Amino acid sequence: MENVKVLIVDDEPNIRDLLSTSLRFAGFSVHAVGNGADAVNAAEKGAPDIILLDVMLPDMNGFSVTKKIRSMGINAPVLFLTARDETADKVTGLTVGGDDYMTKPFSLDEIVARINAILRRTKQVETEDSILEVGEIKINQDAHEVFANGQPVDLSPTEYKLLRFLMSNPNRVLTKAQILDHVWEYDFNGEMGIVESYVSYLRKKLDPITSEPLIQTKRGVGYMYKSSKSSN
Amino acid sequence: MENVKVLIVDDEPNIRDLLSTSLRFAGFSVHAVGNGADAVNAAEKGAPDIILLDVMLPDMNGFSVTKKIRSMGINAPVLFLTARDETADKVTGLTVGGDDYMTKPFSLDEIVARINAILRRTKQVETEDSILEVGEIKINQDAHEVFANGQPVDLSPTEYKLLRFLMSNPNRVLTKAQILDHVWEYDFNGEMGIVESYVSYLRKKLDPITSEPLIQTKRGVGYMYKSSKSSN
DNA sequence: CCCATTCCTGAGAATGGGCTGAACGCTTAC
DNA sequence: GTAAGCGTTCAGCCCATTCTCAGGAATGGG
């Protein structure tokens, strides 16, 4: 997934910054604009591989932007961002042709996962595999299935997201704050104790199946998913 | 089904975009125009394998377009698109040759299925098989017949379409929004609860016959049709 | 060895997703 | 005209999931 270009369109600067920073860190090449007119412009000149498009924009709505872009012969898939309460009525027709949508507030890890899923489906660029396998755990991201040493493991959505985030950063300590920022929605208002709870849930389900505990506690720092191959 | 060229003729830009996007993603090579004159032109130069033709066009009606095209020696089959209320009188005599018709509004999955059926019948190009068999379920798309472990299953049209869509994406989680966008008509304005209802109907009919439940619920994500071949 | 800090984990309350039976209107078949 | 089938909505139920909290365990500095 070299040099994948993402165009972000959202009128809220906070969201723009959040997404820009996060996606840039995830290895994407990012360009962000704040309204529909700029979006059309940037789509034409920037030739993005995927577009993150807020449905509610000050000048024109996301659908008009899409239409305009499509009529210019640009077929980059679109990941629509919609407020939670407008999903019911506005979502119809959004998931056509490789497109997808997410409701705000979202989690950063989920956004990255969705982008990769879309790029995988549309095959416009080479990207990561649908299978994420680190050590004894294997995740099938299409089926949302998890296997530990070949045995299926039943995980709740949050457990799944947490495990995926840990596994995509193997042998690297992640602070609870980092985990909270990536796995939980950006407006989550609770305490970090919830990370401890969910790590506990995961361990209870995974440790009986694996040969050794895979999620290690780094006291005073955070957690680390250990993959056998490496380091001290 | 490599490089099948589809010519779309419809004066409503929304429909044009919807069809273009969807068919392009389904693997077709698409060209779209908005009136009869352009259609004749494009048919001559583009040598399409199949034509999607709206019956009501601003300049000339779909039949005149067909006549003109045929007189030029172009024999590509035509799939007419008609409004629901003009079916009775105008449709007569349409399905001669390899032609067919659909009423608006249609569902995207249905359009793709019809196109494949026509191409199959006219044998102008290699295309998908008429039999769709995944796991214990077999669908004969020509006859609209469904068998579970050899036993015939009686399904309503919507049940059939839903099952076909699920089966054409085995071992992959489909969100309710995706299902709604592909199985239901594009102007459907209702809630996603209807997907739950129809999944329930399907399960009630299929599960007693199959060895295990085939449609799995991925809570908080969507549904998945499971084919035994995977796992491990 | 003691203590403070950090972490673990079970219990419980609140939430909300998903399932299903029932009801309604619409169309089609007889 | 009547009955049957179908599509759609809805409400009530069930239960998985989320999140908080608090007591107890583990850790490591002194």
Side-chain angles (χ1 to χ4, degrees):
Chain A
M1 72 164 211
E2 278 313 304
N3 199 25
V4 174
K5 283 185 282 187
V6 181
L7 173 60
I8 296 170
V9 189
D10 200 306
D11 57 316
E12 299 168 66
N14 293 340
I15 308 288
R16 250 186 356 248
D17 292 346
L18 190 70
L19 285 172
S20 298
T21 310
S22 182
L23 294 182
R24 207 165 271 133
F25 186 74
F28 297 105
S29 175
V30 175
H31 186 203
V33 299
N35 61 64
D38 289 352
V40 174
N41 217 353
E44 187 180 13
K45 297 185 178 167
D49 298 297
I50 186 167
I51 303 172
L52 263 60
L53 183 53
D54 188 8
V55 172
M56 285 298 299
L57 292 170
D59 52 345
M60 53 211 280
N61 74 21
F63 307 106
S64 313
V65 175
T66 316
K67 245 196 281 185
K68 196 132 192 172
I69 286 175
R70 295 268 188 260
S71 72
M72 292 159 57
I74 300 170
N75 289 313
V78 175
L79 177 52
F80 292 96
L81 306 177
T82 80
R84 175 148 296 167
D85 54 350
E86 59 189 353
T87 55
D89 35 334
K90 301 236 175 173
V91 152
T92 332
L94 252 59
T95 70
V96 169
D99 296 345
D100 198 358
Y101 80 95
M102 288 208 69
T103 57
K104 297 188 194 182
F106 45 77
S107 74
L108 295 174
D109 191 55
E110 188 67 16
I111 284 272
V112 175
R114 291 287 189 96
I115 292 176
N116 281 324
I118 292 173
L119 293 175
R120 213 182 298 135
R121 251 188 300 155
T122 57
K123 294 189 185 101
Q124 299 200 346
V125 288
E126 298 198 2
T127 176
E128 291 171 2
D129 200 50
S130 158
I131 305 285
L132 174 62
E133 185 166 15
V134 187
E136 302 178 33
I137 310 283
K138 181 163 82 172
I139 290 182
N140 181 339
Q141 302 193 58
D142 282 342
H144 273 237
E145 283 173 340
V146 178
F147 298 91
N149 283 323
Q151 280 188 46
V153 185
D154 189 54
L155 298 183
S156 80
T158 306
E159 288 163 1
Y160 174 84
K161 282 185 242 172
L162 172 57
L163 179 60
R164 186 181 51 194
F165 181 57
L166 291 172
M167 283 178 63
S168 47
N169 295 282
N171 298 314
R172 174 155 152 208
V173 182
L174 301 166
T175 69
K176 287 174 204 168
Q178 281 177 316
I179 295 175
L180 214 48
D181 285 346
H182 283 82
V183 176
W184 270 262
E185 295 165 353
Y186 56 73
D187 68 345
F188 180 73
N189 219 7
E191 289 298 316
M192 289 193 264
I194 199 171
V195 177
E196 296 169 14
S197 282
Y198 271 86
V199 166
S200 174
Y201 296 157
L202 272 185
R203 291 210 254 234
K204 200 193 300 185
K205 291 183 177 179
L206 296 177
D207 286 358
I209 308 178
T210 56
S211 62
E212 55 175 352
L214 294 178
I215 304 175
Q216 298 188 342
T217 303
K218 298 292 173 180
R219 179 169 251 257
V221 190
Y223 297 99
M224 186 179 95
Y225 181 91
K226 186 184 170 190
S227 157
S228 42
K229 67 183 172 191
S230 89
S231 72
N232 55 338
Chain B
M1 72 164 212
E2 276 313 303
N3 199 25
V4 175
K5 284 184 282 187
V6 181
L7 173 60
I8 297 170
V9 189
D10 200 306
D11 58 316
E12 297 169 69
N14 291 341
I15 308 289
R16 253 191 347 253
D17 291 344
L18 190 70
L19 284 172
S20 298
T21 310
S22 185
L23 294 181
R24 203 167 275 133
F25 187 72
F28 297 105
S29 175
V30 174
H31 186 205
V33 299
N35 60 63
D38 288 352
V40 174
N41 217 352
E44 185 180 14
K45 296 185 179 167
D49 298 297
I50 186 167
I51 303 172
L52 263 60
L53 182 53
D54 188 10
V55 172
M56 285 298 299
L57 292 170
D59 51 345
M60 52 211 282
N61 75 20
F63 307 107
S64 313
V65 175
T66 317
K67 248 195 281 184
K68 195 132 193 173
I69 286 176
R70 295 275 187 255
S71 73
M72 292 159 57
I74 299 170
N75 289 314
V78 175
L79 177 52
F80 291 96
L81 306 177
T82 80
R84 174 147 297 167
D85 53 351
E86 57 191 352
T87 55
D89 36 334
K90 303 232 175 176
V91 152
T92 338
L94 246 61
T95 63
V96 290
D99 298 346
D100 197 359
Y101 78 95
M102 287 205 70
T103 57
K104 299 190 198 180
F106 45 78
S107 76
L108 296 175
D109 194 53
E110 189 66 16
I111 281 274
V112 175
R114 289 289 188 96
I115 293 176
N116 281 323
I118 293 173
L119 293 175
R120 214 180 298 134
R121 253 187 295 151
T122 58
K123 294 193 182 97
Q124 299 198 346
V125 288
E126 299 194 3
T127 175
E128 289 173 2
D129 202 45
S130 159
I131 305 287
L132 175 60
E133 184 166 14
V134 188
E136 302 178 31
I137 309 283
K138 182 163 77 171
I139 289 182
N140 182 340
Q141 302 195 58
D142 285 341
H144 274 233
E145 282 172 340
V146 178
F147 299 91
N149 283 323
Q151 283 187 44
V153 185
D154 189 53
L155 298 182
S156 80
T158 307
E159 288 164 0
Y160 172 82
K161 282 186 248 173
L162 172 58
L163 179 60
R164 185 182 51 196
F165 181 56
L166 290 172
M167 284 179 63
S168 48
N169 294 281
N171 297 312
R172 162 187 242 132
V173 183
L174 301 167
T175 67
K176 288 175 203 170
Q178 282 178 315
I179 296 174
L180 215 49
D181 283 346
H182 283 84
V183 176
W184 270 262
E185 295 162 353
Y186 55 76
D187 66 346
F188 181 75
N189 219 8
E191 289 294 319
M192 299 188 201
I194 199 169
V195 177
E196 297 167 20
S197 284
Y198 270 86
V199 167
S200 176
Y201 297 156
L202 273 185
R203 291 211 255 235
K204 203 189 297 186
K205 290 184 177 179
L206 296 177
D207 286 358
I209 309 177
T210 57
S211 63
E212 56 174 353
L214 295 178
I215 305 175
Q216 297 189 342
T217 303
K218 298 288 173 177
R219 182 174 256 253
V221 189
Y223 297 99
M224 188 178 91
Y225 181 91
K226 188 183 172 190
S227 157
S228 40
K229 71 183 172 192
S230 84
S231 77
N232 94 299

